[in-house]
Amino acid sequence: MAKILVVDDEQPIADILKFNLEKEGYEVVCAFDGQEAIDLAFSEKPDLILLDLMLPLKDGMDVCRELRAGKLHMPIIMLTAKDTELDKVLGLEMGADDYVTKPFSTRELLARVKAHLRRVAKLETEPEQQAQARNGIRLANLLIDQDMYVVYKDGEALDLTHREFELVQYLVRNSGKVMTREHLLQAVWGYEYLGDVRTVDVTIRRLREKIEDDPSKPEYIITRRGLGYLMRNPKTGGPA
């Protein structure tokens, strides 16, 4: 049974989320301020966190930053009443995996929870050898398992978010081609994110931190100034 930490200072919202999540078979723990959220995250080690942005004591951004600094890697879905580009980008920069804008559909939120938990379960149980035998793409030291949504580097499974996986998979499939930010938004994020180009830059930066030996001198994902990004094979300097 997966354990979910719900963090929201409005008890009626926390109670509704707890009720619906328990109905789906999850174990639910609730926190009502930022400091309590941090304490429970470290003591309870939940499998996923639903984190409100506006909280007493410490806001959701600070909570997210402290959890990631403390090497807690469970998926974090931010719940926010703010729908500005800056808030979304800041949430991603702090280490959130996803965000849902209030008021939200319970069905949509549950679908996102299930998708993130499935990804984590596959990451923890899938050996690289099976990935190679199936629908995998190899690029230098990277192996992209397209069936199980897992990326391996030198045989080690990387802790990627769902969106980071989709982005690296798309770039590898189109290695050797320069992709504009606008094109990547449309191809990877979909129409609802059009115009929010900083989202691409943030996700590229986080992806580099996970797949590059030295993110400050990237060898896989190359920036083409004024154009966009290019995925290349660092061993050959060209496409896969």
Side-chain angles (χ1 to χ4, degrees):
M1 181 189 298
K3 183 188 294 185
I4 297 176
L5 173 59
V6 172
V7 186
D8 200 305
D9 63 326
E10 297 183 58
Q11 182 141 2
I13 294 178
D15 288 344
I16 290 170
L17 289 171
K18 186 174 189 291
F19 173 78
N20 283 287
L21 289 164
E22 288 181 339
K23 222 165 67 167
E24 295 293 318
Y26 300 116
E27 180 183 351
V28 181
V29 181
C30 293
F32 302 98
D33 64 59
Q35 188 56 56
E36 186 182 18
I38 292 169
D39 294 341
L40 284 175
F42 280 101
S43 63
E44 295 286 337
K45 296 292 194 297
D47 299 289
L48 180 141
I49 299 176
L50 296 177
L51 179 62
D52 189 28
L53 180 60
M54 303 301 292
L55 294 168
L57 302 185
K58 294 185 178 184
D59 67 20
M61 298 291 187
D62 289 334
V63 172
C64 195
R65 180 170 53 241
E66 288 195 35
L67 296 184
R68 294 313 192 207
K71 306 300 182 186
L72 292 186
H73 300 299
M74 71 282 287
I76 297 176
I77 302 177
M78 278 202 162
L79 309 177
T80 173
K82 297 183 177 181
D83 193 25
T84 67
E85 176 184 343
L86 180 60
D87 290 308
K88 294 174 181 176
V89 169
L90 282 175
L92 293 171
E93 286 181 334
M94 293 304 103
D97 298 89
D98 205 350
Y99 50 81
V100 178
T101 305
K102 295 179 179 179
F104 49 79
S105 156
T106 302
R107 182 179 296 178
E108 178 193 358
L109 182 62
L110 289 173
R112 295 199 191 193
V113 166
K114 290 175 183 176
H116 284 287
L117 290 174
R118 275 198 305 269
R119 179 188 63 80
V120 171
K122 291 170 184 175
L123 182 65
E124 292 174 346
T125 60
E126 180 65 8
E128 185 192 15
Q129 291 77 12
Q130 292 182 29
Q132 289 177 311
R134 292 198 316 267
N135 187 21
I137 306 176
R138 173 71 70 178
L139 180 69
N141 296 342
L142 297 181
L143 174 66
I144 293 86
D145 184 343
Q146 299 183 100
D147 291 340
M148 298 300 287
Y149 272 54
V150 180
V151 175
Y152 299 91
K153 181 180 179 183
D154 296 323
E156 293 261 338
L158 302 179
D159 183 20
L160 302 186
T161 66
H162 180 77
R163 194 70 72 185
E164 288 165 355
F165 175 86
E166 291 184 328
L167 179 57
V168 72
Q169 175 183 240
Y170 189 81
L171 288 170
V172 169
R173 283 177 175 173
N174 294 277
S175 62
K177 301 176 185 176
V178 175
M179 299 286 164
T180 66
R181 293 168 175 82
E182 291 77 11
H183 176 83
L184 289 171
L185 271 176
Q186 186 169 15
V188 178
W189 278 262
Y191 68 91
E192 64 181 297
Y193 288 88
L194 287 181
D196 196 2
V197 292
R198 283 192 61 199
T199 301
V200 176
D201 297 329
V202 171
T203 310
I204 289 285
R205 184 164 66 249
R206 290 183 60 196
L207 196 51
R208 279 173 171 161
E209 290 171 358
K210 297 177 181 182
I211 71 171
E212 301 282 1
D213 292 332
D214 182 355
S216 66
K217 299 176 181 177
E219 296 185 319
Y220 283 99
I221 304 175
I222 308 302
T223 302
R224 290 287 185 254
R225 295 196 180 280
L227 295 173
Y229 297 102
L230 165 75
M231 175 67 86
R232 70 173 187 180
N233 187 328
K235 293 183 177 180
T236 66

